[in-house]
Amino acid sequence: MVQSECRLLRGLLGIICLLPVCICAEPDLCVSLKAIRTNLNATLRRRFMKMNFPINYTIQVHYEEVFRLRNISRLNMSIDEPLQQRDLQDLWLWISHQGIKRVLRVLPERHPTRTKYLSNLENLFRRFEEVYNQKNPRDEERVLPERIDNIWERLTDQDYEGWKSVTPKSILDNCYRTMLCLFKECFSKEDDNYDYCKVLNWSNGTKTT
Ligand SMILES: *[C@@H]1O[C@H](CO)[C@@H](O)[C@H](O)[C@H]1NC(C)=O
Ligand SMILES: *[C@@H]1O[C@H](CO)[C@@H](O)[C@H](O)[C@H]1NC(C)=O
Ligand SMILES: *[C@@H]1O[C@H](CO)[C@@H](O)[C@H](O)[C@H]1NC(C)=O
Ligand SMILES: *[C@@H]1O[C@H](CO)[C@@H](O)[C@H](O)[C@H]1NC(C)=O
Ligand SMILES: *[C@@H]1O[C@H](CO)[C@@H](O)[C@H](O)[C@H]1NC(C)=O
Ligand SMILES: *[C@@H]1O[C@H](CO)[C@@H](O)[C@H](O)[C@H]1NC(C)=O
């Protein structure tokens, strides 16, 4: 009897001791996103995605892989089939990662943009993807709004024909701006009325470019 109570107590203590560990060790979405943000700062984007390339260098992407703030406001507009924040975040993640992969594909093995920057950035995206999928398990039952579904269809279409030329830097510029808009909770600014989702607020603000 005493023994079993003892065991029970030990069991409870075990749980109590484990709890804080679980909470602390839980990978945090914002922590990984902030690591990505740090690596996407303006200096680094300019150095590795612009200065390291020939002038006016472009790569080919699908039209749907151009994902900007304007796309977000347009997609978010319709009230017939309201979006979930998640629909846009899923797109952001896939498109951003795809953009990085496309640039990596054209870079020679020893190119400094690859070795000093993009490989690392891609790893950060992989890590984020893991946490993100773990925290937002997909609802297989849910029917996506048609306009989102159409985008996915074209994004993943193997026989896609409509290619667009973009600069490597623009891929990460768009990735950066849309990230701040779509994951506001991680990047909220207390000090002013900056709205990361507003194109206008970006046009002449110097501090967040
Ligand atoms: C961007 O990060 C680099 C390296 O960490 C740092 O030297 C630079 O000052 C940062 N630039 C901006 C604009 O924050
Ligand atoms: C790069 O593009 C700009 C604008 O399209 C053009 O004015 C410039 O001549 C181009 N530079 C080179 C070196 O091709
Ligand atoms: C974003 O808008 C451009 C045209 O402005 C379009 O070509 C592209 O497909 C849109 N991207 C997405 C993901 O809807
Ligand atoms: C989309 O629209 C909803 C409702 O108007 C709004 O609450 C939300 O902030 C918008 N999301 C984005 C990313 O603009
Ligand atoms: C951002 O835009 C809103 C309206 O579009 C404006 O009220 C606000 O002052 C702007 N903030 C900055 C920092 O430009
Ligand atoms: C941004 O530029 C627009 C016009 O280009 C101007 O009307 C607005 O006052 C500027 N906003 C800030 C915060 O400088």
Side-chain angles (χ1 to χ4, degrees), residues 104-117:
L104 279 172
R105 223 171 280 159
V106 300
L107 287 176
E109 267 322 301
R110 289 163 180 273
H111 195 285
T113 293
R114 172 195 291 278
T115 56
K116 297 207 174 107
Y117 188 59

Side-chain angles (χ1 to χ4, degrees), residues 72-73 76 85 88 181-182 184 197:
I72 291 178
S73 46
N76 199 29
Q85 188 78 344
L88 294 167
C181 164
L182 293 175
K184 276 193 187 121
C197 290

Side-chain angles (χ1 to χ4, degrees), residues 36-179:
I36 289 179
R37 182 188 189 175
T38 305
N39 277 270
L40 283 179
N41 90 14
T43 317
L44 298 175
R45 268 183 282 141
R46 216 173 106 71
R47 181 186 312 154
F48 288 110
M49 303 305 280
K50 181 164 186 169
M51 278 144 63
N52 273 356
F53 285 90
I55 294 173
N56 292 354
Y57 183 84
T58 58
I59 69 170
Q60 304 285 304
V61 301
H62 289 183
Y63 274 93
E64 287 73 23
E65 289 168 24
V66 177
F67 187 53
R68 318 181 61 192
L69 290 175
R70 283 184 213 284
N71 292 92
I72 291 178
S73 46
R74 209 179 307 140
L75 285 169
N76 199 29
M77 228 151 39
S78 159
I79 41 170
D80 309 334
E81 269 187 309
L83 298 187
Q84 291 179 2
Q85 188 78 344
R86 158 113 206 213
D87 297 331
L88 294 167
Q89 290 173 341
D90 283 351
L91 280 178
W92 172 82
L93 184 51
W94 198 92
I95 289 170
S96 302
H97 197 168
Q98 177 72 2
I100 291 171
K101 285 195 254 184
R102 285 207 190 277
V103 179
L104 279 172
R105 223 171 280 159
V106 300
L107 287 176
E109 267 322 301
R110 289 163 180 273
H111 195 285
T113 293
R114 172 195 291 278
T115 56
K116 297 207 174 107
Y117 188 59
L118 270 191
S119 299
N120 179 40
L121 188 61
E122 198 197 4
N123 283 335
L124 293 177
F125 264 90
R126 287 224 188 85
R127 205 166 310 150
F128 174 72
E129 229 159 54
E130 258 168 47
V131 184
Y132 177 81
N133 289 330
Q134 200 177 319
K135 290 225 161 175
N136 306 292
R138 205 172 293 277
D139 175 6
E140 303 292 348
E141 305 279 288
R142 178 158 176 263
V143 178
L144 287 177
E146 197 184 338
R147 58 198 187 284
I148 297 292
D149 201 40
N150 287 341
I151 291 174
W152 279 113
E153 212 158 273
R154 289 195 292 271
L155 279 173
T156 52
D157 180 1
Q158 299 294 325
D159 304 317
Y160 191 92
E161 297 285 349
W163 296 93
K164 184 175 171 54
S165 299
V166 299
T167 65
K169 180 164 177 291
S170 76
I171 293 176
L172 289 193
D173 290 346
N174 291 336
C175 162
Y176 179 71
R177 292 176 175 203
T178 46
M179 170 180 76

